[in-house]
Structures are given as structure tokens and as C-alpha cells.
Amino acid sequence: MDEQSEDPIAQARRYLTDIVVFEGAKFIVPAGGQAVEQPPVPVAAEVPQPATVATAAGSEGSAELESFRRQICDCTRCGLGATRNEFVFGAGNPAAGIVFVGEAPGAEEDRRGEPFVGAAGQLLTKIIAAMGLGRGDVYICNILKCRPPNNRDPQPDEIAQCEPYLKRQIEIIQPKVICTLGRFAAQTLLRSGESMGRLRGRAHQYEGIPLVATYHPAALLRNPQWKRPTWEDVKKVRALYDGVAL
Ligand code: URA
């Protein structure tokens, strides 16, 4: 069968099985074998990009999410309300099947009011592309909506004030699967003190929704050897999104 006539989901799955695209490089993985790095390729040309389908539920969710954003965007519940430049609510498809949850906005996100738009965000975009999706197909947000000064760790009172916002976003979006990025997001949503190494690779749930915990893209930039386990995790995310029982 040629690529033109192949079912887009089957095509995405074939790409998921065989190819990992991170940082502009393509890794061909022979069954059971060692990944072999190929010369860099343009991501968009290599990965099928299923179109986002606007649904009635999607447009209702869109209005509800926007109304919620307007309600909370001037938040001063914690001290970060006084130091932020922009409130970073979240971005993407309000009817997304996948919600990615990071830690908190960094400098670039605080400047632009959008999540994951700095260096780590660029890698996240490539990971999403390697899953056969685009940023507009998924929803991306953080545990905290405002940047902690100097990117310090979020404090318990900040989390306590901000997490209900994320909970409400997830209630509105009703994704099929949540993917937490990094130890902080996983520990917060799973009410756990366990390490990232122990939390990943296991099935979890948040409010009845399957949750896959994986490494933060910023950690992958520092520790490229974690890209392989991350790819295993995001394949699970894609399978849950496709309705495949794990
Ligand atoms: N790191 C995060 O956890 N979130 C962002 O939005 C950017 C960087």
C-alpha cells in the first residue's frame, strides 16, 4: 500500500513504531534493535499531521474555556500575581484528546503569555510532531499559571491556590489522556513524593483520566539519554489517545 492510500491513523502508528523525531534528527529503530540516527530531516514533511476536527462539543468547550480564562486571568491569589508579566492560562485545542501539563511558565512564557514557547517548548513541539500531531491538536498548560521569580521551585501555597484552575481546565476539556512533563507536575497531580524514575512507566489516573508521567523537555535537553524512555512514554500517550488498551 502506498502512503497516499494508507489510513492516517495506521500511518501515524507506523511512524510511531518505527521513527523517533527529536531535535530535527530521525531515528530508525529496527525491531528489537539499536536506534540508528539518520541525517536531520524537516519534521513537518516526515510526520503525518491529522487535521483537527471542530465538533459541537469542541466549540462549547472553547467558549467555556475562554470564559474561565477571563474569570481568572487577573488572579492575585498568591504572590506570583504581583511579579508576573503575563498570566499563562494554557494553549491549544479546547476539545483536545491529550493534555500536556508542565510545571510553570519560564521567562519567555511570562513575556508572551503562552506555555512552552522557549527552548524546552521547541523540543515539546518536536515530541508532539513525532506523535503524528501538531500543537493545535493537543492542549498545553502548567500547574502554575504565573512564573516563579528566577524560575525557582513552586511553593506549596502557590500550588494550593493554582491547582484548582488546572482541575477546572481538565473538567472542561475532558481529554482521553493527560501527560505530565517532569517530576513536579507528576508529583502534584498524583499526590506523590516518588521520583520521576519510579513514576514513569506505570499506569496512573487523575480524576478518572489515564495519566502518563514522563520527563520534562528541559531535562531532556540536559540528559539526552532520557529521550528513549520518553519516547516509550509518549507512545503510550498516543495509544491511549487512539483508544488502544495498554
Ligand atoms: N517549563 C514548563 O514547565 N512550562 C512552560 O510553560 C515552560 C517551561
Side-chain angles (χ1 to χ4, degrees):
M1 188 187 301
D2 65 24
E3 293 210 357
Q4 296 291 315
S5 57
E6 191 177 8
D7 167 54
I9 297 297
Q11 192 182 9
R13 203 169 284 128
R14 185 167 57 73
Y15 273 93
L16 280 169
T17 311
D18 300 339
I19 298 171
V20 180
V21 186
F22 284 150
E23 304 215 69
K26 183 171 78 173
F27 293 83
I28 306 293
V29 187
Q34 197 65 29
V36 181
E37 191 168 354
Q38 301 294 300
V41 292
V43 170
E46 289 292 321
V47 179
Q49 302 285 322
T52 303
V53 180
T55 60
S59 56
E60 278 165 26
S62 176
E64 207 174 348
L65 209 55
E66 175 52 19
S67 149
F68 183 53
R69 187 194 66 77
R70 273 192 261 108
Q71 268 175 46
I72 66 171
C73 65
D74 295 323
C75 180
T76 52
R77 281 187 182 183
C78 78
L80 300 181
T83 55
R84 70 164 178 251
N85 283 308
E86 291 291 336
F87 184 87
V88 183
F89 180 70
N93 182 351
I98 304 173
V99 171
F100 288 94
V101 181
E103 178 174 324
E108 189 61 15
E109 291 78 18
D110 178 56
R111 201 174 63 76
R112 289 171 51 183
E114 262 192 72
F116 281 98
V117 287
Q122 286 171 20
L123 181 52
L124 178 61
T125 303
K126 287 173 184 166
I127 293 170
I128 293 167
M131 296 169 75
L133 298 167
R135 279 177 73 113
D137 297 312
V138 303
Y139 195 83
I140 304 173
C141 54
N142 286 300
I143 300 281
L144 294 192
K145 307 301 184 212
C146 302
R147 182 191 184 205
N150 302 315
N151 299 341
R152 64 152 169 75
D153 283 350
Q155 302 298 300
D157 66 305
E158 295 161 357
I159 299 163
Q161 297 300 332
C162 217
E163 196 204 336
Y165 292 158
L166 173 63
K167 187 164 176 257
R168 181 71 193 126
Q169 284 174 297
I170 289 173
E171 271 169 16
I172 295 170
I173 299 168
Q174 295 179 22
K176 291 181 181 170
V177 49
I178 296 167
C179 180
T180 54
L181 302 168
R183 178 179 60 89
F184 180 81
Q187 288 182 341
T188 301
L189 294 193
L190 297 174
R191 309 274 185 270
S192 167
E194 287 187 283
S195 69
M196 196 58 239
R198 291 183 68 85
L199 288 170
R200 66 160 295 279
R202 280 159 51 195
H204 302 281
Q205 296 221 323
Y206 175 77
E207 303 285 324
I209 299 166
L211 183 153
V212 174
T214 196
Y215 293 106
H216 195 287
L220 299 182
L221 294 172
R222 295 189 299 269
N223 303 280
Q225 74 277 14
W226 290 347
K227 287 181 182 177
R228 170 56 47 188
T230 300
W231 181 241
E232 295 307 320
D233 297 334
V234 297
K235 279 196 285 187
K236 291 197 179 90
V237 175
R238 175 76 209 213
L240 288 162
Y241 171 70
D242 288 336
V244 177
L246 297 179

